[in-house]
Amino acid sequence: MVKAFNRLPISVIPTHYTITLKPDLVGHTFTGQAVVKVDVKEAVKTIVCNVNELEIQSATVVSGTTTMSPTIALNKEEETVTLSCDKELAVGSATVTYNFTGILNDKMRGFYRTKYTVDGEDRYAAVTQFEATDARQAFPCWDEPAVKATFDMIIVGPKDRVVLSNMPEIENTEDPEDSTCKVVKFATTPIMSTYLVAIVVGEFDFIEDKSEEGIAVRVYSPLGKKEQGRFALECAVKSLTFYSKFFDVPYPLAKYDMIAIPDFSSGAMENWGLVLYRETCILVDPLNSSQSSKQWVAIVVCHETAHQWFGNLVTMEWWTHLWLNEGFASFMENLTTDVLYPEYRIWDQFVPGTLIEALKLDALNSSHPIEVDVGHPSEVDEIFDNISYNKGASVIRMLYDWIGDKSFKTGMHSYLIKYSYKNTETPQLWAELESASGLPVTSVMKSWTEQMGFPCINVTSQQEGADRVLTLTQSKFVGDGKANGGSSGSRWQVPVSISSPGKEVTKVMMDREAEQTTVRLANVAASDWVKLNPSVVGFYRVHYSQTELGLLCEAVKSKALPPVDRLNILDDLFSLIAAGKAKTADGLRLLQSYKDEDSYIVWNNISQVIGNLSIVIADQDFYSDWERLILELFSGIKKSVTWDPVEGEGHLDTLLRSLVITRLGKAGDQEIRQEAKRRFDLHASGGAQVSPDIRTAVYSVVASMGQEEDYNTMLRLHEEADLHEEKVRIGRTGLAAFSNKTILAKALEFSLSSNVRAQDSVHMIGSVAGRRQGRDLSWQFFKDNFVLLSERYQSGFLLSRLVKSCSAGFLCEEKAREVEQFFTEHPLSGSERNVAQAVETIRLNTAWLTRDQADIANFFKQN
């Protein structure tokens, strides 16, 4: 049930905070004082701000020459503290002082503790994670993004610890109350939102460099690992300069720090001037990090650096407009990574990795618009999802392609200059881009951000002499295939591109009010293929006639189409199959057209299709026929992929190797299995080390064979691993990937042990759930440990994701009802949408199986 919610009163608002915090790294508590200069807008007797999990010892209010000691009333449900004064506060400035204490919690939110080890001794650092609404766990504040103020941070910590905040240190003195501690004062911040304040007290090494503009950039890492920050430092320096030039707006702070934190709930957090990262998102070990991990570091660093402008300099007015932060940073991370590291071919990878993931979620009736009304803070965590990030990035890419690079840059510059240090809503961005481009940006983009879902464009054609005449109609694509009446409310303004052999791309705008759109393609023969959405820039699906699809199949086989278009045809067809608009056998026949495929991104999409269909037919007698088809499908690429790198190979060739080995090994290729086991045994005994680029593949193939001695070996390797990336790799693709249920039960127990960090447990449990043999085990484990899990993660998006991964893989109505019933009896605030999506996914997959079971069985009898 959605909680009632009101935003804070605007009768008293802060203008400047002076925050003093002293964490106790042994006792796991902290003391603090917040001195807040406020602007009293109207004569009132009460001051209301946010507080959560703090004890307020005392408070004073100074208004003019009067000092008052107000009564203090905490409201735990609303996460507020109300100070009630005897007299009305005069309009104008006043000063409010709060003295308080709190707990350095272990929940990875607010002001919390994170454990690390030095010479076998466990120690703790104090760090922060405030987005979305947890600054109130560190100090009393107006914890809403639009209530911006300046901050003076004063942090007291042990003399032998690194103490950091958003701004450069300006004073460092001995604590007069404790000679083992220092008092560190930081420069005043620009005007900013509370969720971007950051504090770190711990032991770290660092490396540093300067950007072209003279910004001091540092990467802080665990002791002894500073060189592992070298690649992230390079990315940060380059991306700061790139954004400064791209937006034509300078980075506004004097320093840019990035730091690896042992326990961190998300990938990273863009706090202004002090970005916190999970270790796997910032550290690269040249000997043990894979190329895919290195690519991930580049993407995350470019994402967080984009936020320094988009989110920090200009901030969304309320969480409804979260996508302004995340959608734009997700688009810019790809644009920037592509410029800095063109060898990654990141835009090709964007389609299967980002756009298609958004399409899958947005086809559900339990999806949500890009702009979703958010009230109570518990609702915010749920929208840090594939819609806000991935659909947001996808529609901005479509917009960028439509209005062009020059207009996009001009509009973004105007927007950032006009609203610097302010807050915005989506229409203000559209207005600047519309002004820059002269195109109807607002009317087009509103159809993409204000309604959920996306269109499916139906294509029919006829030949008129030398010309092909296409008729395009649009309807909302829905996962269950049910018609929605075709009202204009479920239509879009769609920029459509059309390609054909040897011709210029044709561009049209489909009007949401028009019943159909007719396009004449001059000199396109009846035997020529026609492909909508070249390069897959548009956020829509395409339903071709059988004739058009047949011509495109031939273009797939001959590779007349670029890789991204080859994968698009397969992905669109399988999405139509899942929605009941085509038969699975048609998809399986199309799959066979890809036997001679050589592109990583196409194989990556084929692998996704295999994964989706594997869930649907997991319990069927013909599953072994399915594995045989996979082996046949991959037989050609197997011949051209080597176990070891080939001199001069490209980045995507490296990624392809791991994918092919994994798929073949899991499907039962004995040659692959034997070689994987041979390499694993050598690696585990201290012999030739398995290349980090194929370790995931080797671990998962060995695990799929299910021997207990290999499980025990992996446990040992996990314990011995010093690199966090390696621990995660062994946990998710090794320990959690066995086919033996007894071993998987052990892996589940291990996931909640002290050997696995809390941030990683959910992903390990989810990995078990993703296996046929682990589906029922992980759901039962989730239910059995529900109290422990909900206490450990206290809602939050880690728990929301676990809810979905543990329950979405079932294939019967009985299980759908069981999941619904469980969460009705055990409600999880902030996970309601994920529960609905999991249940809907179960029902969609069940309907797919019921509809096509005989069709698939018949296909395997004939093939």
Side-chain angles (χ1 to χ4, degrees), residues 298-374:
I299 287 170
V300 178
V301 170
C302 289
H303 179 101
E304 303 309 324
T305 309
H307 274 310
Q308 306 303 303
W309 284 262
F310 236 96
N312 300 7
L313 181 62
V314 180
T315 311
M316 77 253 143
E317 195 278 335
W318 184 247
W319 302 107
T320 295
H321 304 277
L322 171 74
W323 90 281
L324 276 179
N325 279 16
E326 299 304 346
F328 262 84
S330 298
F331 169 74
M332 291 305 300
E333 81 191 22
N334 287 280
L335 187 82
T336 311
T337 302
D338 186 53
V339 171
L340 302 185
Y341 303 101
E343 67 273 19
Y344 292 171
R345 289 167 59 186
I346 215 72
W347 283 123
D348 282 351
Q349 295 191 61
F350 178 89
V351 174
T354 300
L355 184 139
I356 286 172
E357 288 304 306
L359 288 171
K360 277 162 60 176
L361 179 54
D362 209 25
L364 300 180
N365 289 315
S366 48
S367 179
H368 63 83
I370 282 177
E371 293 181 78
V372 58
D373 284 334
V374 174

Side-chain angles (χ1 to χ4, degrees), residues 592-862:
Q592 292 173 316
S593 302
Y594 290 83
K595 277 184 177 173
D596 296 325
E597 185 53 63
D598 57 6
S599 164
Y600 164 72
I601 62 159
V602 181
W603 280 112
N604 187 22
N605 187 247
I606 290 169
S607 188
Q608 288 178 357
V609 165
I610 288 170
N612 294 338
L613 186 54
S614 295
I615 291 169
V616 175
I617 63 173
D619 303 322
Q620 301 305 303
D621 292 340
F622 50 70
Y623 195 85
S624 57
D625 295 313
W626 171 230
E627 291 189 314
R628 174 175 53 79
L629 185 147
I630 294 169
L631 293 177
E632 287 173 10
L633 181 61
F634 277 80
S635 60
I637 195 70
K638 177 187 174 183
K639 291 172 188 162
S640 60
V641 166
T642 59
W643 279 85
D644 298 306
V646 176
E647 192 175 342
E649 73 178 15
H651 178 72
L652 297 189
D653 297 323
T654 305
L655 303 187
L656 178 62
R657 175 177 296 110
S658 181
L659 186 152
V660 171
I661 292 169
T662 301
R663 273 290 166 210
L664 284 167
K666 283 185 173 180
D669 184 301
Q670 291 307 311
E671 189 183 352
I672 293 286
R673 286 184 161 192
Q674 287 166 13
E675 180 62 11
K677 181 71 167 79
R678 185 188 74 79
R679 288 178 180 245
F680 175 75
D681 288 344
L682 265 175
H683 177 86
S685 61
Q689 295 297 284
V690 172
S691 160
D693 290 314
I694 59 167
R695 273 186 213 170
T696 290
V698 168
Y699 293 157
S700 62
V701 171
V702 169
S704 70
M705 294 186 275
Q707 299 301 312
E708 184 152 12
E709 64 183 88
D710 293 326
Y711 177 81
N712 292 331
T713 301
M714 286 187 193
L715 273 181
R716 173 176 62 79
L717 292 174
H718 185 278
E719 187 178 336
E720 291 171 355
D722 183 46
L723 181 69
H724 195 69
E725 176 190 330
E726 182 70 2
K727 284 188 184 291
V728 170
R729 190 159 42 215
I730 296 167
R732 289 193 204 177
T733 63
L735 299 171
F738 278 76
S739 51
N740 180 305
K741 289 187 177 183
T742 306
I743 295 176
L744 285 178
K746 288 183 181 179
L748 286 169
E749 292 297 334
F750 180 73
S751 73
L752 291 182
S753 72
S754 60
N755 296 300
V756 179
R757 291 193 179 274
Q759 67 196 17
D760 302 317
S761 300
V762 293
H763 299 294
M764 195 168 163
I765 297 166
S767 295
V768 174
R771 293 203 58 74
R772 269 194 317 151
Q773 301 86 345
R775 185 186 62 196
D776 299 83
L777 281 173
S778 56
W779 171 238
Q780 190 60 49
F781 183 79
F782 177 86
K783 292 189 294 182
D784 292 345
N785 291 279
F786 179 78
V787 173
L788 185 154
L789 288 164
S790 51
E791 170 59 27
R792 181 191 269 207
Y793 298 106
Q794 292 190 342
S795 75
F797 60 84
L798 280 175
L799 191 57
S800 287
R801 287 176 186 175
L802 186 59
V803 164
K804 204 164 166 182
S805 60
C806 278
S807 58
F810 293 113
L811 284 159
C812 63
E813 177 58 28
E814 182 188 352
K815 280 293 185 185
R817 285 200 294 268
E818 181 189 320
V819 172
E820 275 182 321
Q821 183 67 27
F822 180 82
F823 287 109
T824 301
E825 293 170 2
H826 305 84
L828 267 180
S829 178
S831 293
E832 295 85 354
R833 198 186 300 277
N834 280 282
V835 172
Q837 289 167 358
V839 170
E840 187 178 353
T841 301
I842 295 170
R843 290 187 168 131
L844 289 174
N845 284 338
T846 303
W848 181 359
L849 180 63
T850 304
R851 195 171 53 237
D852 278 8
Q853 187 175 20
D855 179 59
I856 302 168
N858 194 43
F859 173 86
F860 285 124
K861 278 179 191 167
Q862 295 173 358

